[in-house]
Amino acid sequence: MMDQKRIAGEKACEWIKDGMIIGLGTGSTVYYTIEKLGKMVQNGLNITGVATSEQTAEQAGNLGIPLKSLNDVSMIDLTIDGADEVDTQFQGIKGGGGALLREKMVAEASLLNIWVVGEDKLVDTLGKFPLPIEVVPFGWRQIEQTLKKEGIQTKLRKQENEEVYQTNNGNYILDIINQIYTNPVSWQEKLAQIPGIVEHGLFLNYVDIVICGKENGEIEIIKK
Ligand code: 5RP
């Protein structure tokens, strides 16, 4: 598993060129991209990173990768990120690491989006993985109730010590469980109508290239 993540994560660095502004995703697969990028920067590559989480900013900062905030760039050339699920239509679920809001804002600003995944992330239909929604703490129970009335089960995300998990934006995450997304577009519309939902983890029409590390050590490049 570790190796699938490493080979996919490192492979993505081949798309990085001198002078680019690079969106840096969050998670244990893109971790390997950032480690390799750090070495490239130490060897003289000139790029600027835009981090999608405090965790990524810390890793990149420690490696000497120059960073700017999203507000300080006009666009991003390429973003490399992980994903929790990708289907055959290039639609995905993200946010397992809680960074979905910043990840989506960075993806939206990017000319090219690459996802790095292990082969277990490729699915026919989205939904095996819980769908995270980022909610404003004020009134999160209302959102839970609204969804429950529609038969949608959620789980408030907690940390290992049982304290409520808070995103880098100070919000909570409700994970939608036991759902299959045969029509993710209609789900996107439904979730957008509920006040207090800041963002959801359905990433539809974002990814351009999926780099998939396989158990047998091969790498599959899947282009849209
Ligand atoms: C974080 C994410 C991650 O990209 C996603 O959870 C995949 O992570 P990993 O590479 O650790 O499996 O969306 O919010």
Side-chain angles (χ1 to χ4, degrees):
M1 171 59 70
M2 217 58 163
D3 229 37
Q4 291 178 39
K5 292 184 179 200
R6 187 178 55 74
I7 57 177
E10 290 182 351
K11 180 78 181 172
C13 289
E14 291 179 17
W15 275 260
I16 298 174
K17 302 280 174 279
D18 204 65
M20 279 184 165
I21 296 177
I22 306 288
L24 302 172
T26 296
S28 57
T29 315
V30 78
Y31 167 88
Y32 292 104
T33 311
I34 298 165
E35 286 297 301
K36 182 149 187 204
L37 178 58
K39 291 198 186 102
M40 291 160 72
V41 167
Q42 286 154 25
N43 287 329
L45 180 80
N46 172 33
I47 57 99
T48 302
V50 176
T52 55
S53 64
E54 286 164 15
Q55 176 193 322
T56 289
E58 192 184 340
Q59 183 194 359
N62 288 340
L63 291 164
I65 299 173
L67 293 175
K68 279 192 177 171
S69 75
L70 186 54
N71 282 327
D72 291 330
V73 298
S74 56
M75 58 89 199
I76 292 171
D77 293 292
L78 161 66
T79 286
I80 303 168
D81 204 346
D84 298 306
E85 278 188 353
V86 195
D87 74 10
T88 49
Q89 307 301 307
F90 287 79
Q91 296 175 327
I93 289 181
K94 285 182 49 54
L100 62 155
L101 173 57
R102 293 189 189 188
E103 287 173 338
K104 200 177 275 187
M105 292 179 80
V106 167
E108 182 71 33
S110 302
L111 297 179
L112 189 76
N113 281 284
I114 295 179
W115 286 353
V116 288
V117 297
E119 64 182 325
D120 58 309
K121 305 284 184 72
L122 303 182
V123 298
D124 290 329
T125 311
L126 300 177
K128 210 167 48 175
F129 196 89
L131 173 65
I133 54 176
E134 180 158 348
V135 298
V136 173
F138 171 84
W140 70 270
R141 282 187 196 277
Q142 290 292 326
I143 299 167
E144 182 189 44
Q145 286 308 313
T146 302
L147 293 170
K148 198 172 171 189
K149 276 185 210 140
E150 295 204 35
I152 301 164
Q153 266 179 283
T154 59
K155 214 168 165 237
L156 181 66
R157 194 178 292 188
K158 302 239 175 95
Q159 304 177 52
E160 266 173 27
N161 64 8
E162 283 302 300
E163 277 180 30
V164 180
Y165 173 86
Q166 272 195 297
T167 69
N168 288 167
N169 317 299
N171 295 319
Y172 292 169
I173 286 188
L174 287 171
D175 285 300
I176 298 181
I177 50 174
N178 301 329
Q179 283 292 338
I180 294 292
Y181 301 95
T182 42
N183 187 348
V185 174
S186 73
W187 273 90
Q188 177 168 256
E189 285 161 8
K190 186 204 291 276
L191 295 171
Q193 281 162 12
I194 302 175
I197 296 184
V198 183
E199 196 48 84
H200 57 78
L202 284 170
F203 279 56
L204 311 182
N205 302 318
Y206 277 101
V207 68
D208 302 292
I209 300 172
V210 177
I211 300 180
C212 177
K214 303 204 164 182
E215 214 179 309
N216 63 8
E218 286 173 13
I219 299 173
E220 192 182 355
I221 314 283
I222 314 165
K223 291 189 183 166
K224 203 166 176 180

